[in-house]
Amino acid sequence: MSDVYVIGIDMIKFGRFPERTVEHLGAEAALMALDDCGLTIRDMQALYCGNQGQAGALVGQRVLKEIGQTGIQVINVANACATGATAFRDAWISIKAGLYDIVLAVGVEQMGKGMLGGAGLSEGISPEGILGSYSMPAVFAHMGMEHARKYGTTFEQFAKVSVKNHHHSTLNPKAMYRKETPLDEVMNSEMMAYPNTKLMCSVNVDGSAAAVLCSEKKAKELGLLKRAVRVRGSALQSDPYTTHNLAMMDFNAVTQLAAKNAYEMASVGPEDIDLIELHDCFATAELVHYENLGICKDGEAGQLIDSGATALGGKIPVNVSGGLLSKGHPLGATGIANIYEITTHLRGEAGKRQVEGARIGLTHVVGAGSACAVHILEKA
Amino acid sequence: MTATDTLRPIKPFVKLPPGDKPYLAGSVCNNCGEVLLGSESRLACPKCGGRKGFTERRLAETGSLYNYTTVERSFPGVVVPFISVIVDLDGGGTLKGNLRNVSPAKLTFGLPVRVVFDDAGRTDKNNNAYISYFFEPAAAEARL
């Protein structure tokens, strides 16, 4: 089986674009990724398109109507917040399988403002506030409280994640927000569900990202290996059964399983990873995923954030892009945007936020319900 | 009796037997013994994949607080604050709900709780009322 390379990749600056269409946003990133490697839609053999909000409305085909209807296979993918990474992985699988040599993956989402999941029910009554909370800030507050129960993790430690990622975003011109948020500001912002304050919640934004994936043979033929990044590991898992899974969405066992499989495929361990873009949909989640991804021992995530190891310049920088917390989280685009960030560092093109000497990077996303995708990328 | 004055269960696993107390229904996998919420027909067990069927069980009305968070902002129109909790029932079964009548100083992991049934306090678009379960501290001194 051929190794698979990312030869072209880009994302739009995340923001709010209510006047545009989802296909227009997707098309923009698609053209940026094609331009990144000097190719056109006529060179692509298939399109894998990730979008959650309009799943079932053939967003991929609509993207082609904007950039060129060449008649290629289009697969439309929805997998909650793991949607973009799932489209990327499906593209990777198609090359691994030997079916195609060069394909395009697009992730796109138009979100609008406000909290996810508040729509009314056509039958019965909403259980929100009667049977606990199903809002995402609360779901991920429960995840943080589970960690606090086991290890004594503090509100301040969770809040530090937000301080760090907001700081990182000041160095990323493609981030939605680029504003420092000192610890007292994070801790004193509106409480959503303890310990997540408003500044510890990711930003719902519109956005798109796209990648061109290619077989080794084709990349050589095109002379495009120089800036290429090799996909060394790819894993996508669903949530394995745990007892608390009956009452709480699981993001832990599913991440541990995906990480294990991705590390095994890549023949590397957490100690080999130079930087990580992980799913910081809420500040609580980032700390717990330090352990799920194995970059520290169980119970040591609080100390790891305290030590500064996961900040730019530290031993294992996490979410140097600003993360979902500040760069923004357009569901279907996030998975590919994370891969864009890692690729940019591996290429040495990340400017002020460059992780020096980065050779291997890891991306992680989770979708509620649950799905988890982990990719391990290496400088070619 | 018209539809509008019939109390309905907020979830299918909340059982309202006529002339009897409400209860929480669970089922036990005949293969692995896992206690699951609800007694509706399942094809197989999510834990073991076993297809040996399930034995219905009335779940306990006591348990302990596994997890909690105080929700101070929710969807528009939802009354806040409230305490969202995960409770492990004695003898098996775990579920999410609201904890009420708790003395703030007593709110802690592992707090013994009891299940109570009450009007959900919200009606659907056809004006139907619903019965829900709620959690309260088991010990009187932990209650408000």
Side-chain angles (χ1 to χ4, degrees):
Chain A
M1 285 192 291
S2 170
D3 273 334
V4 177
Y5 291 83
V6 177
I7 57 169
I9 191 162
D10 213 335
M11 60 179 275
I12 68 167
K13 176 179 163 43
F14 289 171
R16 295 215 170 87
F17 312 107
E19 73 291 355
R20 293 177 63 182
T21 62
V22 73
E23 58 268 33
H24 200 261
L25 292 169
E28 184 181 358
L31 291 177
M32 289 165 75
L34 289 166
D35 288 348
D36 184 47
C37 55
L39 298 173
T40 77
I41 191 64
R42 301 200 172 278
D43 300 305
M44 299 298 111
Q45 296 174 308
L47 166 62
Y48 295 84
C49 184
N51 173 266
Q52 180 68 24
Q54 296 186 27
L58 277 66
V59 172
Q61 281 83 345
R62 286 153 57 195
V63 166
L64 288 187
K65 288 178 174 67
E66 300 277 331
I67 64 171
Q69 290 174 253
T70 57
I72 55 174
Q73 167 186 293
V74 174
I75 302 285
N76 292 289
V77 174
N79 215 5
C81 300
T83 291
T86 303
F88 181 90
R89 179 177 151 87
D90 280 356
W92 171 85
I93 288 171
S94 75
I95 296 172
K96 271 283 178 200
L99 193 60
Y100 299 122
D101 281 312
I102 185 162
V103 301
L104 179 62
V106 174
V108 59
E109 205 72 47
Q110 217 167 9
M111 303 279 294
K113 295 175 85 163
M115 211 189 281
L116 290 183
L121 301 178
S122 54
E123 295 283 322
I125 55 171
S126 163
E128 178 69 17
I130 299 171
L131 302 181
S133 182
Y134 294 80
S135 75
M136 287 297 131
V139 164
F140 284 89
H142 279 303
M143 183 188 190
M145 290 299 276
E146 188 175 49
H147 199 265
R149 175 183 181 146
K150 276 193 208 160
Y151 305 118
T153 323
T154 65
F155 176 27
E156 182 174 329
Q157 286 172 323
F158 289 123
K160 280 180 179 174
V161 169
S162 211
V163 176
K164 170 180 72 73
N165 293 354
H166 282 101
H167 168 67
H168 287 161
S169 72
T170 64
L171 307 171
N172 183 1
K174 297 203 179 205
M176 167 79 183
Y177 291 121
R178 302 182 64 196
K179 198 170 161 282
E180 298 282 357
T181 55
L183 187 62
D184 61 338
E185 190 181 332
V186 171
M187 294 177 76
N188 291 321
S189 75
E190 182 187 352
M191 183 56 73
M192 305 293 283
Y194 185 87
N196 282 324
T197 67
K198 194 170 181 184
L199 283 174
M200 295 161 73
C201 301
S202 56
V203 202
N204 285 341
V205 299
D206 306 329
S208 58
V212 178
L213 289 85
C214 187
S215 67
E216 182 162 15
K217 179 168 154 275
K218 186 77 178 177
K220 278 183 182 158
E221 199 180 296
L222 292 167
L224 289 172
L225 268 182
K226 193 160 170 280
R227 283 175 74 243
V229 160
R230 184 154 65 110
V231 183
R232 274 190 64 165
S234 170
L236 175 64
Q237 309 295 147
S238 59
D239 45 340
Y241 185 85
T242 63
T243 296
H244 282 115
N245 204 180
L246 297 168
M248 297 170 68
M249 282 189 211
D250 172 62
F251 304 103
N252 297 326
V254 72
T255 293
Q256 290 157 17
L257 187 57
K260 175 176 172 285
N261 289 342
Y263 285 134
E264 270 177 27
M265 183 184 290
S267 302
V268 299
E271 65 283 1
D272 300 308
I273 305 296
D274 297 312
L275 78 161
I276 292 177
E277 286 287 306
L278 64 72
H279 204 77
D280 59 330
C281 50
F282 295 88
T284 45
E286 177 165 319
L287 281 199
V288 182
H289 288 314
Y290 289 170
E291 293 166 21
N292 290 332
L293 296 173
I295 63 169
C296 66
K297 292 197 187 107
D298 287 354
E300 293 181 357
Q303 291 156 253
L304 195 67
I305 188 80
D306 286 341
S307 76
T310 56
L312 183 60
K315 196 172 110 238
I316 175 78
V318 173
N319 289 331
V320 175
S321 67
L324 284 55
L325 287 172
S326 193
K327 178 177 66 179
H329 181 28
L331 310 189
T334 289
I336 298 179
N338 286 355
I339 292 169
Y340 163 77
E341 181 68 16
I342 296 293
T343 301
T344 304
H345 286 271
L346 300 180
R347 286 169 163 181
E349 297 173 0
K352 283 184 188 164
R353 66 185 192 285
Q354 177 69 41
V355 172
E356 289 306 324
R359 209 177 55 80
I360 300 181
L362 180 150
T363 64
H364 160 263
V365 286
V366 291
S370 300
C372 176
V374 171
H375 284 94
I376 296 174
L377 306 159
E378 182 185 33
K379 193 182 168 93
Chain B
M1 186 179 268
T2 65
T4 50
D5 53 26
T6 306
L7 283 170
R8 297 163 182 232
I10 191 164
K11 290 279 179 184
F13 59 81
V14 174
K15 300 296 181 189
L16 308 174
D20 199 355
K21 288 195 325 185
Y23 68 95
L24 298 172
S27 26
V28 183
C29 173
N30 291 338
N31 189 51
C32 73
E34 185 74 354
V35 181
L36 305 169
L37 206 53
S39 57
E40 314 79 63
S41 67
R42 284 178 180 270
L43 297 175
C45 173
K47 181 175 186 183
C48 70
R51 296 171 63 179
K52 293 185 177 168
F54 298 87
T55 304
E56 188 173 345
R57 179 192 285 183
R58 258 184 200 235
L59 298 178
E61 291 182 11
T62 55
S64 70
L65 200 63
Y66 175 70
N67 195 313
Y68 65 90
T69 179
T70 302
V71 178
E72 300 199 24
R73 180 161 158 197
S74 177
F75 305 130
V78 175
V79 177
V80 288
F82 62 90
I83 304 170
S84 174
V85 299
I86 313 293
V87 167
D88 292 340
L89 297 175
D90 296 335
T94 180
L95 70 172
K96 185 186 274 191
N98 269 23
L99 176 67
R100 59 186 205 183
N101 294 341
V102 65
S103 166
K106 302 289 184 183
L107 179 59
T108 181
F109 296 118
L111 178 76
V113 297
R114 65 179 187 187
V115 178
V116 293
F117 295 91
D118 200 352
D119 190 314
R122 195 178 290 170
T123 54
D124 66 18
K125 60 181 180 184
N126 297 320
N127 212 30
N128 295 302
Y130 287 78
I131 289 281
S132 184
Y133 62 89
F134 295 90
F135 299 108
E136 290 184 349
E141 64 268 24
R143 293 199 285 269
L144 280 177

